Amino acid sequence: MSVIWVTGGAGFIGANFILDWLRASNEPVLNLDKLTYAGNPETLDSLKDDARYRWVQGDIADRSLLDRLLAESRPRAILHFAAESHVDRSIHGPAEFIQTNVVGTFHLLEAARAYWQGLPATEQAAFRFLHVSTDEVYGSLLPDDPPFTESTPYAPNSPYSASKAASDHLVRAYHHTYGLPVLTTNCSNNYGPYQFPEKLIPLMILNATRGLSLPIYGDGMNVRDWLYVTDHCSAIRAVLEKGRVGETYNIGGWNEMPNIEIVKTVCALLDEMRPDAAGPYARLLTYVKDRPGHDRRYAIDAGKIHRELDWKPAETFTTGIRKTVRWYLDNMRWVENVASGEYRKWLDTNYAEKGTQ
């Protein structure tokens, strides 16, 4: 039976992709995840007894592990989600971002190339290496600039985006130099269930329910395009199935909004779903000093993936953000476990007898 690999499958987007994939398909998944601070296998607890799912704790920079697992499992595709992804963390500690996003991607590409070159011709033709990246590689837009397209020049402005840009270039080079059948996706800001609560939307929900301040960088007018995570998953499935080898596809939600409006919308939904006796949650809004190199605006033109692969998002921001706030309120145990670090204890307890498989 064929199998797909997902790297970084215990992270926010990777875990949602695995859950989404196994709801729609019986094709098995091997999840290779190092389990850094944001990797939480509790998200995938529903699959722990599912024969279609295998988790291996390991580093994408461990070439011997990669070679062994590729030989054992013989995947038809590698979907590369694994990355350090938080801009603030990259500012304070860029070394880990270079190690994972650049060096790790290099080792994964090298292992994939060796594996692919050893496949029979028919399996070589069917194999795909799908690299999941970000719109942040394109830099920042002025208010009246057109949205990013696949031909927008790269201009990364943070250690995080620079490391992702480097990984994108490596993936492209392995296609043009060695013929490795690659696909690249560059997505806008994701939101939805299971997002680590250091990112804007879950952080605002968590802080608000605790009565803490809701910190807004600068004037709050930094603009992002917002993509509901299950829409991102459906787009990746479309690219894997029908995307042209060697091509890049931008994935966006057509939801361009300033951060302050995002937070006010979250506050309004919390006022409706969980009213606070102390008053409207917007009272907790607090403006803080802007972070260094904060890109002013991102916007994605997702026309190519719509034209070529007939994909468009199913959720509007109105429907997606309502689902998101509701999910966090209904799953506060998961949120609190992550925020407190208890999920690490859960990991030790739940997987102690399983080892790394």
Side-chain angles (χ1 to χ4, degrees), residues 164-211:
K164 288 299 289 183
S167 67
D168 291 9
H169 292 321
L170 282 171
V171 171
R172 174 185 171 86
Y174 270 66
H175 173 64
H176 286 275
T177 302
Y178 304 113
L180 187 69
V182 306
L183 300 154
T184 297
T185 59
N186 294 88
C187 70
S188 55
N189 277 33
N190 278 224
Y191 69 102
Y194 300 112
Q195 190 169 27
F196 199 80
E198 66 183 0
K199 298 297 180 79
L200 178 66
I201 290 173
L203 177 65
M204 295 302 109
I205 297 170
L206 180 61
N207 278 15
T209 57
R210 290 173 165 182

mmCIF file of all heavy atoms in Angstrom, residues 164-211:
data_model
loop_
_atom_site.group_PDB
_atom_site.id
_atom_site.type_symbol
_atom_site.label_atom_id
_atom_site.label_comp_id
_atom_site.label_asym_id
_atom_site.label_seq_id
_atom_site.Cartn_x
_atom_site.Cartn_y
_atom_site.Cartn_z
ATOM 1 N N LYS A 164 13.154 30.715 5.387
ATOM 2 C CA LYS A 164 12.188 30.060 4.512
ATOM 3 C C LYS A 164 12.494 30.367 3.041
ATOM 4 O O LYS A 164 12.334 29.493 2.171
ATOM 5 C CB LYS A 164 10.771 30.485 4.857
ATOM 6 C CG LYS A 164 10.245 29.907 6.148
ATOM 7 C CD LYS A 164 10.179 28.389 6.145
ATOM 8 C CE LYS A 164 9.092 27.855 5.247
ATOM 9 N NZ LYS A 164 8.998 26.364 5.307
ATOM 10 N N ALA A 165 12.925 31.582 2.757
ATOM 11 C CA ALA A 165 13.306 31.913 1.380
ATOM 12 C C ALA A 165 14.460 31.033 0.923
ATOM 13 O O ALA A 165 14.474 30.523 -0.211
ATOM 14 C CB ALA A 165 13.683 33.387 1.286
ATOM 15 N N ALA A 166 15.441 30.832 1.807
ATOM 16 C CA ALA A 166 16.571 29.970 1.468
ATOM 17 C C ALA A 166 16.106 28.551 1.183
ATOM 18 O O ALA A 166 16.575 27.905 0.227
ATOM 19 C CB ALA A 166 17.583 29.971 2.610
ATOM 20 N N SER A 167 15.175 28.045 1.976
ATOM 21 C CA SER A 167 14.678 26.683 1.748
ATOM 22 C C SER A 167 13.914 26.597 0.433
ATOM 23 O O SER A 167 14.030 25.602 -0.304
ATOM 24 C CB SER A 167 13.807 26.216 2.924
ATOM 25 O OG SER A 167 12.606 26.943 3.015
ATOM 26 N N ASP A 168 13.146 27.632 0.100
ATOM 27 C CA ASP A 168 12.452 27.663 -1.195
ATOM 28 C C ASP A 168 13.446 27.574 -2.345
ATOM 29 O O ASP A 168 13.230 26.856 -3.332
ATOM 30 C CB ASP A 168 11.652 28.946 -1.342
ATOM 31 C CG ASP A 168 10.453 29.042 -0.412
ATOM 32 O OD1 ASP A 168 10.310 28.190 0.479
ATOM 33 O OD2 ASP A 168 9.673 29.991 -0.566
ATOM 34 N N HIS A 169 14.542 28.327 -2.237
ATOM 35 C CA HIS A 169 15.552 28.331 -3.299
ATOM 36 C C HIS A 169 16.219 26.961 -3.428
ATOM 37 O O HIS A 169 16.516 26.500 -4.544
ATOM 38 C CB HIS A 169 16.600 29.409 -3.020
ATOM 39 C CG HIS A 169 16.081 30.805 -3.143
ATOM 40 N ND1 HIS A 169 15.193 31.185 -4.121
ATOM 41 C CD2 HIS A 169 16.345 31.929 -2.419
ATOM 42 C CE1 HIS A 169 14.924 32.488 -3.995
ATOM 43 N NE2 HIS A 169 15.605 32.945 -2.963
ATOM 44 N N LEU A 170 16.464 26.305 -2.303
ATOM 45 C CA LEU A 170 17.039 24.963 -2.349
ATOM 46 C C LEU A 170 16.096 23.988 -3.069
ATOM 47 O O LEU A 170 16.535 23.174 -3.901
ATOM 48 C CB LEU A 170 17.336 24.452 -0.940
ATOM 49 C CG LEU A 170 18.596 24.987 -0.263
ATOM 50 C CD1 LEU A 170 18.628 24.555 1.196
ATOM 51 C CD2 LEU A 170 19.857 24.509 -0.981
ATOM 52 N N VAL A 171 14.823 24.055 -2.749
ATOM 53 C CA VAL A 171 13.854 23.169 -3.389
ATOM 54 C C VAL A 171 13.829 23.413 -4.892
ATOM 55 O O VAL A 171 13.847 22.465 -5.700
ATOM 56 C CB VAL A 171 12.458 23.361 -2.766
ATOM 57 C CG1 VAL A 171 11.385 22.617 -3.563
ATOM 58 C CG2 VAL A 171 12.457 22.883 -1.311
ATOM 59 N N ARG A 172 13.789 24.661 -5.282
ATOM 60 C CA ARG A 172 13.817 24.992 -6.713
ATOM 61 C C ARG A 172 15.085 24.449 -7.370
ATOM 62 O O ARG A 172 15.045 23.861 -8.463
ATOM 63 C CB ARG A 172 13.736 26.509 -6.882
ATOM 64 C CG ARG A 172 13.902 26.984 -8.324
ATOM 65 C CD ARG A 172 13.933 28.516 -8.398
ATOM 66 N NE ARG A 172 14.310 28.954 -9.736
ATOM 67 C CZ ARG A 172 13.474 29.117 -10.744
ATOM 68 N NH1 ARG A 172 12.186 28.837 -10.575
ATOM 69 N NH2 ARG A 172 13.907 29.521 -11.925
ATOM 70 N N ALA A 173 16.228 24.622 -6.719
ATOM 71 C CA ALA A 173 17.508 24.183 -7.283
ATOM 72 C C ALA A 173 17.549 22.674 -7.451
ATOM 73 O O ALA A 173 18.109 22.159 -8.442
ATOM 74 C CB ALA A 173 18.654 24.651 -6.394
ATOM 75 N N TYR A 174 16.966 21.929 -6.518
ATOM 76 C CA TYR A 174 16.991 20.474 -6.631
ATOM 77 C C TYR A 174 16.120 19.985 -7.790
ATOM 78 O O TYR A 174 16.362 18.913 -8.349
ATOM 79 C CB TYR A 174 16.587 19.820 -5.311
ATOM 80 C CG TYR A 174 17.785 19.574 -4.426
ATOM 81 C CD1 TYR A 174 18.516 20.636 -3.887
ATOM 82 C CD2 TYR A 174 18.223 18.294 -4.149
ATOM 83 C CE1 TYR A 174 19.629 20.429 -3.108
ATOM 84 C CE2 TYR A 174 19.347 18.056 -3.359
ATOM 85 C CZ TYR A 174 20.044 19.137 -2.845
ATOM 86 O OH TYR A 174 21.163 18.920 -2.078
ATOM 87 N N HIS A 175 15.120 20.758 -8.150
ATOM 88 C CA HIS A 175 14.341 20.414 -9.339
ATOM 89 C C HIS A 175 15.127 20.720 -10.610
ATOM 90 O O HIS A 175 15.265 19.867 -11.491
ATOM 91 C CB HIS A 175 13.021 21.181 -9.351
ATOM 92 C CG HIS A 175 12.246 20.995 -10.615
ATOM 93 N ND1 HIS A 175 11.753 19.772 -11.004
ATOM 94 C CD2 HIS A 175 11.901 21.871 -11.591
ATOM 95 C CE1 HIS A 175 11.123 19.899 -12.159
ATOM 96 N NE2 HIS A 175 11.200 21.161 -12.544
ATOM 97 N N HIS A 176 15.673 21.924 -10.688
ATOM 98 C CA HIS A 176 16.332 22.339 -11.924
ATOM 99 C C HIS A 176 17.684 21.664 -12.123
ATOM 100 O O HIS A 176 18.103 21.439 -13.261
ATOM 101 C CB HIS A 176 16.474 23.864 -11.946
ATOM 102 C CG HIS A 176 15.187 24.565 -12.207
ATOM 103 N ND1 HIS A 176 14.698 24.785 -13.470
ATOM 104 C CD2 HIS A 176 14.251 25.058 -11.357
ATOM 105 C CE1 HIS A 176 13.526 25.390 -13.397
ATOM 106 N NE2 HIS A 176 13.234 25.567 -12.124
ATOM 107 N N THR A 177 18.356 21.317 -11.034
ATOM 108 C CA THR A 177 19.664 20.670 -11.151
ATOM 109 C C THR A 177 19.551 19.155 -11.285
ATOM 110 O O THR A 177 20.210 18.549 -12.139
ATOM 111 C CB THR A 177 20.540 21.013 -9.934
ATOM 112 O OG1 THR A 177 20.687 22.425 -9.843
ATOM 113 C CG2 THR A 177 21.921 20.377 -10.069
ATOM 114 N N TYR A 178 18.721 18.546 -10.448
ATOM 115 C CA TYR A 178 18.676 17.088 -10.377
ATOM 116 C C TYR A 178 17.403 16.473 -10.958
ATOM 117 O O TYR A 178 17.326 15.252 -11.106
ATOM 118 C CB TYR A 178 18.818 16.625 -8.927
ATOM 119 C CG TYR A 178 20.063 17.141 -8.234
ATOM 120 C CD1 TYR A 178 19.975 18.049 -7.187
ATOM 121 C CD2 TYR A 178 21.333 16.723 -8.636
ATOM 122 C CE1 TYR A 178 21.112 18.524 -6.546
ATOM 123 C CE2 TYR A 178 22.474 17.190 -8.001
ATOM 124 C CZ TYR A 178 22.357 18.097 -6.958
ATOM 125 O OH TYR A 178 23.491 18.568 -6.342
ATOM 126 N N GLY A 179 16.416 17.315 -11.238
ATOM 127 C CA GLY A 179 15.165 16.784 -11.766
ATOM 128 C C GLY A 179 14.187 16.310 -10.719
ATOM 129 O O GLY A 179 13.137 15.734 -11.059
ATOM 130 N N LEU A 180 14.492 16.497 -9.430
ATOM 131 C CA LEU A 180 13.582 16.062 -8.365
ATOM 132 C C LEU A 180 12.201 16.688 -8.596
ATOM 133 O O LEU A 180 12.090 17.906 -8.766
ATOM 134 C CB LEU A 180 14.128 16.478 -6.999
ATOM 135 C CG LEU A 180 13.365 15.952 -5.782
ATOM 136 C CD1 LEU A 180 13.539 14.449 -5.639
ATOM 137 C CD2 LEU A 180 13.835 16.659 -4.504
ATOM 138 N N PRO A 181 11.142 15.888 -8.625
ATOM 139 C CA PRO A 181 9.804 16.421 -8.916
ATOM 140 C C PRO A 181 9.195 17.149 -7.708
ATOM 141 O O PRO A 181 8.552 16.539 -6.851
ATOM 142 C CB PRO A 181 8.998 15.187 -9.294
ATOM 143 C CG PRO A 181 9.686 14.052 -8.618
ATOM 144 C CD PRO A 181 11.137 14.410 -8.531
ATOM 145 N N VAL A 182 9.417 18.432 -7.648
ATOM 146 C CA VAL A 182 9.014 19.236 -6.499
ATOM 147 C C VAL A 182 7.789 20.078 -6.813
ATOM 148 O O VAL A 182 7.483 20.382 -7.970
ATOM 149 C CB VAL A 182 10.163 20.151 -6.024
ATOM 150 C CG1 VAL A 182 11.434 19.355 -5.759
ATOM 151 C CG2 VAL A 182 10.423 21.275 -7.016
ATOM 152 N N LEU A 183 7.119 20.490 -5.755
ATOM 153 C CA LEU A 183 6.038 21.469 -5.772
ATOM 154 C C LEU A 183 6.247 22.375 -4.570
ATOM 155 O O LEU A 183 6.655 21.908 -3.506
ATOM 156 C CB LEU A 183 4.669 20.793 -5.670
ATOM 157 C CG LEU A 183 4.295 19.807 -6.780
ATOM 158 C CD1 LEU A 183 3.295 18.784 -6.265
ATOM 159 C CD2 LEU A 183 3.746 20.562 -7.979
ATOM 160 N N THR A 184 5.980 23.668 -4.720
ATOM 161 C CA THR A 184 6.124 24.605 -3.600
ATOM 162 C C THR A 184 4.834 25.381 -3.431
ATOM 163 O O THR A 184 4.225 25.815 -4.410
ATOM 164 C CB THR A 184 7.286 25.571 -3.838
ATOM 165 O OG1 THR A 184 8.510 24.844 -3.912
ATOM 166 C CG2 THR A 184 7.400 26.594 -2.704
ATOM 167 N N THR A 185 4.413 25.538 -2.175
ATOM 168 C CA THR A 185 3.258 26.386 -1.869
ATOM 169 C C THR A 185 3.697 27.496 -0.920
ATOM 170 O O THR A 185 4.475 27.264 0.001
ATOM 171 C CB THR A 185 2.121 25.573 -1.221
ATOM 172 O OG1 THR A 185 2.581 24.965 -0.011
ATOM 173 C CG2 THR A 185 1.603 24.505 -2.168
ATOM 174 N N ASN A 186 3.202 28.688 -1.162
ATOM 175 C CA ASN A 186 3.451 29.841 -0.282
ATOM 176 C C ASN A 186 2.101 30.347 0.209
ATOM 177 O O ASN A 186 1.290 30.834 -0.585
ATOM 178 C CB ASN A 186 4.202 30.948 -1.018
ATOM 179 C CG ASN A 186 5.597 30.531 -1.416
ATOM 180 O OD1 ASN A 186 5.815 29.961 -2.473
ATOM 181 N ND2 ASN A 186 6.567 30.800 -0.557
ATOM 182 N N CYS A 187 1.872 30.206 1.507
ATOM 183 C CA CYS A 187 0.552 30.506 2.057
ATOM 184 C C CYS A 187 0.560 31.796 2.868
ATOM 185 O O CYS A 187 1.596 32.269 3.315
ATOM 186 C CB CYS A 187 0.078 29.348 2.936
ATOM 187 S SG CYS A 187 1.005 29.183 4.483
ATOM 188 N N SER A 188 -0.628 32.345 3.048
ATOM 189 C CA SER A 188 -0.800 33.505 3.922
ATOM 190 C C SER A 188 -1.005 33.041 5.360
ATOM 191 O O SER A 188 -0.891 31.853 5.668
ATOM 192 C CB SER A 188 -1.981 34.348 3.439
ATOM 193 O OG SER A 188 -3.150 33.573 3.342
ATOM 194 N N ASN A 189 -1.305 33.969 6.274
ATOM 195 C CA ASN A 189 -1.439 33.639 7.691
ATOM 196 C C ASN A 189 -2.548 32.618 7.921
ATOM 197 O O ASN A 189 -3.699 32.855 7.552
ATOM 198 C CB ASN A 189 -1.750 34.904 8.504
ATOM 199 C CG ASN A 189 -0.521 35.695 8.855
ATOM 200 O OD1 ASN A 189 0.436 35.737 8.091
ATOM 201 N ND2 ASN A 189 -0.552 36.342 9.997
ATOM 202 N N ASN A 190 -2.185 31.502 8.539
ATOM 203 C CA ASN A 190 -3.172 30.479 8.877
ATOM 204 C C ASN A 190 -3.773 30.748 10.257
ATOM 205 O O ASN A 190 -3.115 31.309 11.142
ATOM 206 C CB ASN A 190 -2.515 29.103 8.901
ATOM 207 C CG ASN A 190 -2.368 28.464 7.537
ATOM 208 O OD1 ASN A 190 -2.633 27.291 7.353
ATOM 209 N ND2 ASN A 190 -1.935 29.237 6.546
ATOM 210 N N TYR A 191 -5.015 30.315 10.436
ATOM 211 C CA TYR A 191 -5.646 30.339 11.756
ATOM 212 C C TYR A 191 -6.618 29.167 11.814
ATOM 213 O O TYR A 191 -6.982 28.577 10.797
ATOM 214 C CB TYR A 191 -6.371 31.664 12.006
ATOM 215 C CG TYR A 191 -7.606 31.872 11.149
ATOM 216 C CD1 TYR A 191 -8.881 31.680 11.677
ATOM 217 C CD2 TYR A 191 -7.508 32.237 9.804
ATOM 218 C CE1 TYR A 191 -10.020 31.856 10.909
ATOM 219 C CE2 TYR A 191 -8.635 32.419 9.027
ATOM 220 C CZ TYR A 191 -9.886 32.229 9.574
ATOM 221 O OH TYR A 191 -11.015 32.389 8.792
ATOM 222 N N GLY A 192 -7.002 28.801 13.024
ATOM 223 C CA GLY A 192 -7.934 27.702 13.201
ATOM 224 C C GLY A 192 -7.574 26.851 14.404
ATOM 225 O O GLY A 192 -6.735 27.234 15.232
ATOM 226 N N PRO A 193 -8.178 25.662 14.523
ATOM 227 C CA PRO A 193 -7.949 24.794 15.685
ATOM 228 C C PRO A 193 -6.504 24.341 15.813
ATOM 229 O O PRO A 193 -5.791 24.189 14.824
ATOM 230 C CB PRO A 193 -8.857 23.585 15.402
ATOM 231 C CG PRO A 193 -9.881 24.084 14.448
ATOM 232 C CD PRO A 193 -9.204 25.118 13.616
ATOM 233 N N TYR A 194 -6.069 24.140 17.038
ATOM 234 C CA TYR A 194 -4.776 23.546 17.401
ATOM 235 C C TYR A 194 -3.580 24.464 17.127
ATOM 236 O O TYR A 194 -2.452 23.974 17.070
ATOM 237 C CB TYR A 194 -4.559 22.214 16.680
ATOM 238 C CG TYR A 194 -5.589 21.154 16.979
ATOM 239 C CD1 TYR A 194 -6.483 20.734 15.996
ATOM 240 C CD2 TYR A 194 -5.673 20.558 18.236
ATOM 241 C CE1 TYR A 194 -7.431 19.754 16.256
ATOM 242 C CE2 TYR A 194 -6.625 19.578 18.509
ATOM 243 C CZ TYR A 194 -7.500 19.193 17.508
ATOM 244 O OH TYR A 194 -8.442 18.230 17.779
ATOM 245 N N GLN A 195 -3.788 25.756 16.990
ATOM 246 C CA GLN A 195 -2.647 26.643 16.774
ATOM 247 C C GLN A 195 -1.984 26.977 18.108
ATOM 248 O O GLN A 195 -2.653 27.288 19.091
ATOM 249 C CB GLN A 195 -3.079 27.934 16.073
ATOM 250 C CG GLN A 195 -1.919 28.788 15.607
ATOM 251 C CD GLN A 195 -2.343 29.914 14.685
ATOM 252 O OE1 GLN A 195 -3.483 30.398 14.752
ATOM 253 N NE2 GLN A 195 -1.451 30.347 13.816
ATOM 254 N N PHE A 196 -0.644 26.912 18.129
ATOM 255 C CA PHE A 196 0.103 27.172 19.358
ATOM 256 C C PHE A 196 -0.191 28.591 19.840
ATOM 257 O O PHE A 196 -0.120 29.549 19.056
ATOM 258 C CB PHE A 196 1.601 27.009 19.093
ATOM 259 C CG PHE A 196 2.419 26.800 20.331
ATOM 260 C CD1 PHE A 196 2.494 25.554 20.937
ATOM 261 C CD2 PHE A 196 3.125 27.851 20.891
ATOM 262 C CE1 PHE A 196 3.259 25.357 22.075
ATOM 263 C CE2 PHE A 196 3.891 27.673 22.032
ATOM 264 C CZ PHE A 196 3.957 26.423 22.633
ATOM 265 N N PRO A 197 -0.540 28.778 21.119
ATOM 266 C CA PRO A 197 -1.030 30.077 21.583
ATOM 267 C C PRO A 197 0.048 31.132 21.826
ATOM 268 O O PRO A 197 -0.006 31.875 22.804
ATOM 269 C CB PRO A 197 -1.768 29.727 22.878
ATOM 270 C CG PRO A 197 -1.127 28.491 23.368
ATOM 271 C CD PRO A 197 -0.711 27.731 22.140
ATOM 272 N N GLU A 198 1.009 31.206 20.890
ATOM 273 C CA GLU A 198 1.894 32.358 20.830
ATOM 274 C C GLU A 198 1.518 33.219 19.630
ATOM 275 O O GLU A 198 1.950 34.360 19.516
ATOM 276 C CB GLU A 198 3.349 31.906 20.701
ATOM 277 C CG GLU A 198 3.659 31.196 19.389
ATOM 278 C CD GLU A 198 5.084 30.683 19.297
ATOM 279 O OE1 GLU A 198 5.847 30.873 20.262
ATOM 280 O OE2 GLU A 198 5.423 30.074 18.267
ATOM 281 N N LYS A 199 0.708 32.657 18.719
ATOM 282 C CA LYS A 199 0.277 33.366 17.521
ATOM 283 C C LYS A 199 -0.922 34.243 17.856
ATOM 284 O O LYS A 199 -1.626 34.043 18.845
ATOM 285 C CB LYS A 199 -0.061 32.373 16.411
ATOM 286 C CG LYS A 199 1.131 31.509 15.971
ATOM 287 C CD LYS A 199 2.258 32.345 15.368
ATOM 288 C CE LYS A 199 3.444 31.503 14.918
ATOM 289 N NZ LYS A 199 3.258 30.833 13.638
ATOM 290 N N LEU A 200 -1.186 35.220 16.990
ATOM 291 C CA LEU A 200 -2.089 36.315 17.323
ATOM 292 C C LEU A 200 -3.466 35.862 17.817
ATOM 293 O O LEU A 200 -3.886 36.220 18.922
ATOM 294 C CB LEU A 200 -2.255 37.236 16.106
ATOM 295 C CG LEU A 200 -3.214 38.415 16.305
ATOM 296 C CD1 LEU A 200 -2.664 39.396 17.338
ATOM 297 C CD2 LEU A 200 -3.483 39.115 14.977
ATOM 298 N N ILE A 201 -4.179 35.086 17.017
ATOM 299 C CA ILE A 201 -5.574 34.791 17.352
ATOM 300 C C ILE A 201 -5.706 33.930 18.604
ATOM 301 O O ILE A 201 -6.445 34.298 19.535
ATOM 302 C CB ILE A 201 -6.295 34.187 16.131
ATOM 303 C CG1 ILE A 201 -6.484 35.275 15.063
ATOM 304 C CG2 ILE A 201 -7.641 33.584 16.524
ATOM 305 C CD1 ILE A 201 -7.026 34.775 13.734
ATOM 306 N N PRO A 202 -5.009 32.785 18.714
ATOM 307 C CA PRO A 202 -5.156 32.016 19.964
ATOM 308 C C PRO A 202 -4.622 32.749 21.187
ATOM 309 O O PRO A 202 -5.151 32.586 22.292
ATOM 310 C CB PRO A 202 -4.370 30.732 19.689
ATOM 311 C CG PRO A 202 -3.471 31.033 18.545
ATOM 312 C CD PRO A 202 -4.169 32.066 17.721
ATOM 313 N N LEU A 203 -3.579 33.588 20.992
ATOM 314 C CA LEU A 203 -3.072 34.361 22.127
ATOM 315 C C LEU A 203 -4.123 35.330 22.638
ATOM 316 O O LEU A 203 -4.316 35.485 23.853
ATOM 317 C CB LEU A 203 -1.804 35.120 21.728
ATOM 318 C CG LEU A 203 -1.203 36.020 22.814
ATOM 319 C CD1 LEU A 203 -0.709 35.179 23.993
ATOM 320 C CD2 LEU A 203 -0.059 36.860 22.250
ATOM 321 N N MET A 204 -4.824 35.995 21.720
ATOM 322 C CA MET A 204 -5.866 36.931 22.128
ATOM 323 C C MET A 204 -6.997 36.207 22.858
ATOM 324 O O MET A 204 -7.521 36.705 23.861
ATOM 325 C CB MET A 204 -6.418 37.672 20.909
ATOM 326 C CG MET A 204 -5.426 38.576 20.200
ATOM 327 S SD MET A 204 -4.707 39.882 21.255
ATOM 328 C CE MET A 204 -3.029 39.285 21.435
ATOM 329 N N ILE A 205 -7.382 35.032 22.366
ATOM 330 C CA ILE A 205 -8.457 34.275 23.020
ATOM 331 C C ILE A 205 -8.027 33.862 24.422
ATOM 332 O O ILE A 205 -8.769 34.027 25.397
ATOM 333 C CB ILE A 205 -8.845 33.056 22.176
ATOM 334 C CG1 ILE A 205 -9.397 33.488 20.817
ATOM 335 C CG2 ILE A 205 -9.866 32.190 22.925
ATOM 336 C CD1 ILE A 205 -9.576 32.347 19.829
ATOM 337 N N LEU A 206 -6.823 33.326 24.530
ATOM 338 C CA LEU A 206 -6.326 32.854 25.835
ATOM 339 C C LEU A 206 -6.201 34.016 26.814
ATOM 340 O O LEU A 206 -6.672 33.928 27.959
ATOM 341 C CB LEU A 206 -4.976 32.160 25.655
ATOM 342 C CG LEU A 206 -4.318 31.618 26.923
ATOM 343 C CD1 LEU A 206 -5.200 30.565 27.581
ATOM 344 C CD2 LEU A 206 -2.945 31.039 26.611
ATOM 345 N N ASN A 207 -5.568 35.105 26.389
ATOM 346 C CA ASN A 207 -5.398 36.249 27.297
ATOM 347 C C ASN A 207 -6.734 36.827 27.725
ATOM 348 O O ASN A 207 -6.940 37.178 28.903
ATOM 349 C CB ASN A 207 -4.560 37.336 26.619
ATOM 350 C CG ASN A 207 -3.074 37.067 26.720
ATOM 351 O OD1 ASN A 207 -2.660 35.957 27.037
ATOM 352 N ND2 ASN A 207 -2.259 38.070 26.450
ATOM 353 N N ALA A 208 -7.664 36.940 26.780
ATOM 354 C CA ALA A 208 -8.968 37.516 27.112
ATOM 355 C C ALA A 208 -9.696 36.674 28.153
ATOM 356 O O ALA A 208 -10.250 37.206 29.123
ATOM 357 C CB ALA A 208 -9.810 37.656 25.851
ATOM 358 N N THR A 209 -9.677 35.366 27.990
ATOM 359 C CA THR A 209 -10.387 34.503 28.945
ATOM 360 C C THR A 209 -9.717 34.503 30.310
ATOM 361 O O THR A 209 -10.358 34.166 31.314
ATOM 362 C CB THR A 209 -10.480 33.060 28.421
ATOM 363 O OG1 THR A 209 -9.163 32.557 28.144
ATOM 364 C CG2 THR A 209 -11.314 33.001 27.149
ATOM 365 N N ARG A 210 -8.443 34.908 30.366
ATOM 366 C CA ARG A 210 -7.737 35.032 31.638
ATOM 367 C C ARG A 210 -7.802 36.447 32.205
ATOM 368 O O ARG A 210 -7.260 36.703 33.283
ATOM 369 C CB ARG A 210 -6.267 34.648 31.450
ATOM 370 C CG ARG A 210 -6.012 33.170 31.199
ATOM 371 C CD ARG A 210 -4.549 32.933 30.870
ATOM 372 N NE ARG A 210 -4.149 31.526 30.960
ATOM 373 C CZ ARG A 210 -2.920 31.076 30.751
ATOM 374 N NH1 ARG A 210 -1.952 31.946 30.435
ATOM 375 N NH2 ARG A 210 -2.641 29.795 30.849
ATOM 376 N N GLY A 211 -8.421 37.365 31.482
ATOM 377 C CA GLY A 211 -8.494 38.753 31.927
ATOM 378 C C GLY A 211 -7.191 39.502 31.785
ATOM 379 O O GLY A 211 -6.977 40.529 32.451
#
